Amino acid sequence: MVAASGTPEAPLFLMANTDWYRSNASELFGAATNDENGVAINGGARYLPKTDGRRNDVYERLFLTLSPRFDEVLPVIDNPTSPYKQVTGSGVWLAHGATNREHDAAYFREAKAHGLDKLIITDHETMWRDNGESFTFRTRTAPGRGGDASAERYTRILRDELGYVYGPYNNYTDFAPVNEFWNTDNVSRGSDGQLQHAWMRCYAPKPVWAVGMCEKIAPEIQRKFNYSTAYCDVHTALAPWHRTDYDARTPGAGMFKTQFNAFARLLWNESTAHHGPVFSEGNYHWFYAGIVDGDYATMLPYGEGWKQDPIVDFDLLKMHPKMTDFGMGFGQMYYGMTTDFWNKEPGRLNPWFERFTASTIAFGHIGFLTYEWGFDATVKGYYMVQALQKRYAMVPVQRIAYFDGNELLDTSAALMRDAQKRGQVHVEYENGLQVWVNLNLELGWNVELDGKRYALPPSGFLASKPDDILAYSAAVDGGPRHELVDCADYLYLDGRGEIVRTADIAATETAAVKPLGDGAWEVISATGDNPVTVSRAWLGTSPRALFKATALNLAGEALGEAETRPGAAGVTVMPAPFEGVVKYRLETNGEQVDAWTIESAPDHLLPGEMAYAKVRVAR
């Protein structure tokens, strides 16, 4: 895709591509050039001989699109739309390969205790193997990890006890000679007739045969464990022509569309068998958008996504309405191994973690709980994205613009002036949500909204939907940088060690407040001396109501009462002097006061004054 001619005031864009749904080719290739000899785009289609030496008849349909608008030349993905928006849009995704099942269950109980209620968890290949044995085309789980009995107990913990969406690892692209179904006739052949290699110790199964095996295996796995989602590894990491089968004995031999159609049907079979969304590895996931419900949102080249100009248009306009990709892949997928993205402390303030989170939001992806930056970053990543993603997942985009240092430009104008290289992106969704993301590595970005000035540092962002949500990582009106998510779902604040007071919550470190639905709230703040003030307006309580707070440990057991300090505008939960406090249950105690007298503190208590503030009430 290139600017074929024109000026910054009147750009002209050209796109040329083949119809990958109808091609009879063996593979496609790219060959973009722009030099004194002219402009070349797209590349072409190759027709390689099958194992009998014959080539398929040439059949191609070509699309040439010329327009002054960049969005009009983007290719159309003519796939169905994922039906699982309500599941994938609200859930934060993570892969967690089986280790010790008891330890794994303990980890997720800890996550649940910290308020991570909406998780989509998929297992990995360690659920099927103990060492180097076959890990695909299996229905029996790894015996060294307790076998099927252990896997079934673990599934019931994640699904029934914790309420998470959970499913297995599957893979119909890597076929080991030690597998019980091994037969060389079920392996794809190259154009030279040789067996096609795949992952180490594996060969590439014939795509058409793999579909039939999925129809047998996936329902049996579901019968045994009753999952609610699945991860189908590798399938969308491959271009449709990476596993073309040239075996002349098979129908559709030598055509990449045979693999494409087979993988598309296979992904649909997985989703149907497990009664939930199916996810895959990504890289070439746009071919399968909507057929697959989500992928690692990897940007090519692998490990260098963070270096690329953040042009979000194709993702948001064409892929985003079809499915929900997660994160930016995981950290290594986005940053590679050449940066120090995991070496800075503390984890939740690591600038590489912050850029990962901001990029996820800029591209409209759902959250991905990665492990690279530690548990505190895992918890923070959940709260920063979960409520926000619910409001943009698969929602159509109304406007995309890039800031050039003076004004916001639409994409067509921005590309002609290289404004996208500045990395400052504004997205407006059809539901009224607006997002500003600063992916510049050095420059800040000041955004005015509702009479306030938000200074977005590198990897900072601002998101707002009137009367619904306000979320940001920024400095507001000259104050210290902090992170806030303020909506009906929950409050989250990270003061980053500074005293921060917002309209609805005040704290110095991290704090989350969530409604429990029974007239009580969960206050999650176990970070040392970190009092948390919550406004009565957000709680929806009477200005005269009094409160009690019960300190809870990891298991949800009551440890004793914590001090609460009420005011006319808010209530403060003081740190309780008990070992093992994870959170507090806050509720009104049924009493009310007739008048307030605040001693040595303002009405809405500030964190720095909470240690000595006292309230005298008159009943």
Side-chain angles (χ1 to χ4, degrees):
M1 190 177 303
V2 296
S5 64
T7 67
E9 293 72 28
L12 195 60
F13 299 95
L14 173 66
M15 168 65 80
N17 60 270
T18 59
D19 184 349
W20 57 89
Y21 295 104
R22 294 176 178 265
S23 173
N24 278 1
S26 304
E27 62 183 27
L28 302 180
F29 65 93
T33 60
N34 186 358
D35 54 33
E36 65 277 4
N37 296 318
V39 175
I41 58 174
N42 186 41
R46 291 192 179 97
Y47 285 71
L48 301 178
K50 296 174 285 188
T51 55
D52 62 1
R54 298 170 59 87
R55 303 173 196 261
N56 291 309
D57 294 337
V58 173
Y59 183 91
E60 300 294 336
R61 184 163 71 165
L62 306 177
F63 292 97
L64 295 173
T65 309
L66 188 66
S67 173
R69 289 181 49 176
F70 177 75
D71 61 297
E72 289 186 344
V73 306
L74 296 174
V76 173
I77 304 173
D78 193 20
N79 293 343
T81 298
S82 167
Y84 290 106
K85 173 185 173 180
Q86 297 307 313
V87 177
T88 60
S90 62
V92 176
W93 193 91
L94 75 157
H96 187 91
T99 57
N100 177 295
R101 295 289 193 189
E102 292 182 1
H103 294 169
D104 294 341
Y107 177 86
F108 287 113
R109 286 183 172 123
E110 183 177 5
K112 184 78 172 183
H114 283 81
L116 279 60
D117 295 324
K118 301 290 185 179
L119 296 185
I120 302 171
I121 305 164
T122 62
D123 222 304
H124 212 65
E125 61 188 61
T126 51
M127 71 175 289
W128 299 112
R129 62 173 175 83
D130 293 315
N131 295 294
E133 68 271 27
S134 175
F135 60 95
T136 63
F137 296 91
R138 292 182 61 151
T139 61
R140 296 185 298 276
T141 60
R145 303 181 195 281
D148 287 356
S150 171
E152 206 281 332
R153 286 194 303 271
Y154 181 65
T155 304
R156 301 283 66 78
I157 291 171
L158 294 189
R159 288 209 58 199
D160 303 338
E161 176 189 329
L162 301 179
Y164 292 150
V165 177
Y166 170 63
Y169 171 94
N170 282 319
N171 174 337
Y172 299 93
T173 65
D174 300 317
F175 190 28
V178 294
N179 186 271
E180 62 182 301
F181 299 111
W182 176 260
N183 186 319
T184 55
D185 283 339
N186 296 329
V187 178
S188 291
R189 302 298 178 110
S191 182
D192 60 0
Q194 296 298 311
L195 301 182
Q196 287 189 28
H197 288 274
W199 189 243
M200 56 183 177
R201 311 181 309 277
C202 296
Y203 292 86
K206 292 184 181 302
V208 175
W209 176 77
V211 173
M213 293 303 296
C214 176
E215 290 178 350
K216 296 178 181 179
I217 290 172
E220 174 62 11
I221 293 171
Q222 180 65 15
R223 182 193 66 79
K224 293 171 69 173
F225 302 110
N226 189 23
Y227 295 120
S228 51
T229 187
Y231 176 67
C232 212
D233 200 14
V234 182
H235 293 78
T236 65
L238 301 172
W241 48 88
H242 284 169
R243 294 287 177 84
T244 301
D245 183 12
Y246 294 88
D247 191 339
R249 299 173 298 172
T250 61
M255 299 181 188
F256 75 75
K257 71 181 179 185
T258 304
Q259 178 209 305
F260 178 66
N261 292 337
F263 280 10
R265 180 69 187 189
L266 191 152
L267 291 166
W268 186 88
N269 287 345
E270 281 279 293
S271 178
T272 301
H274 299 299
H275 312 296
V278 60
F279 301 92
S280 190
E281 185 176 354
N283 272 348
Y284 293 91
H285 45 290
W286 68 272
F287 284 104
Y288 299 92
I291 300 169
V292 67
D293 301 291
D295 304 83
Y296 287 95
T298 313
M299 292 177 64
L300 297 176
Y302 187 100
E304 296 187 8
W306 69 284
K307 300 178 182 178
Q308 310 307 312
D309 296 341
I311 302 175
V312 300
D313 298 63
F314 181 58
D315 198 326
L316 286 176
L317 296 176
K318 300 302 181 180
M319 298 163 61
H320 173 90
K322 298 283 185 181
M323 63 177 179
T324 51
D325 287 341
F326 37 86
M328 301 304 295
F330 57 85
Q332 185 178 331
M333 289 178 173
Y334 195 44
Y335 295 119
M337 297 295 292
T338 60
T339 67
D340 61 348
F341 73 89
W342 47 39
N343 295 329
K344 295 184 182 295
E345 297 292 343
R348 78 175 198 275
L349 303 182
N350 186 312
W352 297 107
F353 163 72
E354 292 172 334
R355 185 175 180 83
F356 184 90
T357 302
S359 299
T360 297
I361 294 168
F363 283 87
H365 300 156
I366 66 172
F368 176 22
L369 294 193
T370 66
Y371 301 113
E372 285 100 338
W373 297 284
F375 187 72
D376 65 333
T378 294
V379 173
K380 182 175 182 177
Y382 176 90
Y383 282 110
M384 292 306 297
V385 178
Q386 194 273 328
L388 186 56
Q389 71 177 44
K390 283 177 54 179
R391 291 154 170 86
Y392 64 57
M394 295 178 66
V395 175
V397 169
Q398 182 168 297
R399 181 175 183 248
I400 298 172
Y402 298 85
F403 187 60
D404 71 349
N406 296 302
E407 61 180 330
L408 287 170
L409 302 174
D410 66 46
T411 307
S412 300
L415 291 174
M416 297 303 291
R417 301 180 187 182
D418 282 339
Q420 80 284 355
K421 295 183 179 299
R422 192 179 175 93
Q424 296 173 335
V425 185
H426 175 248
V427 180
E428 184 173 352
Y429 292 86
E430 288 187 359
N431 62 4
L433 177 69
Q434 293 192 74
V435 177
W436 296 259
V437 183
N438 183 17
L439 294 178
N440 194 290
L441 291 169
E442 298 177 355
L443 299 176
W445 186 15
N446 292 327
V447 177
E448 301 286 336
L449 180 68
D450 298 332
K452 292 182 178 292
R453 182 173 65 88
Y454 295 85
L456 277 55
S459 301
F461 72 91
L462 168 65
S464 173
K465 184 182 177 187
D467 302 318
D468 185 12
I469 191 170
L470 176 66
Y472 59 78
S473 176
V476 183
D477 289 337
R481 179 184 181 180
H482 59 280
E483 282 74 46
L484 174 75
V485 179
D486 188 338
C487 61
D489 303 65
Y490 55 78
L491 295 173
Y492 177 81
L493 175 67
D494 186 352
R496 305 170 71 98
E498 300 281 346
I499 297 172
V500 174
R501 173 189 175 188
T502 74
D504 286 323
I505 186 171
T508 57
E509 297 290 342
T510 62
V513 185
K514 306 182 71 171
L516 292 174
D518 59 355
W521 301 267
E522 202 171 50
V523 180
I524 304 166
S525 175
T527 310
D529 186 20
N530 184 34
V532 180
T533 300
V534 189
S535 75
R536 290 178 179 272
W538 189 85
L539 294 172
T541 59
S542 163
R544 296 186 296 138
L546 295 177
F547 294 83
K548 68 175 182 178
T550 305
L552 306 174
N553 64 13
L554 190 63
E557 300 165 335
L559 300 174
E561 295 298 309
E563 179 187 358
T564 60
R565 296 183 177 179
V571 58
T572 300
V573 179
M574 301 298 293
F578 309 118
E579 289 291 328
V581 177
V582 173
K583 56 188 176 182
Y584 304 89
R585 178 183 172 89
L586 177 67
E587 55 195 322
T588 57
N589 66 3
E591 296 184 80
Q592 294 199 9
V593 296
D594 296 324
W596 297 96
T597 301
I598 308 296
E599 298 180 348
S600 70
D603 200 8
H604 188 175
L605 302 178
L606 294 176
E609 297 164 325
M610 289 175 189
Y612 59 84
K614 297 293 182 183
V615 180
R616 185 173 69 249
V617 299
R619 292 181 172 84

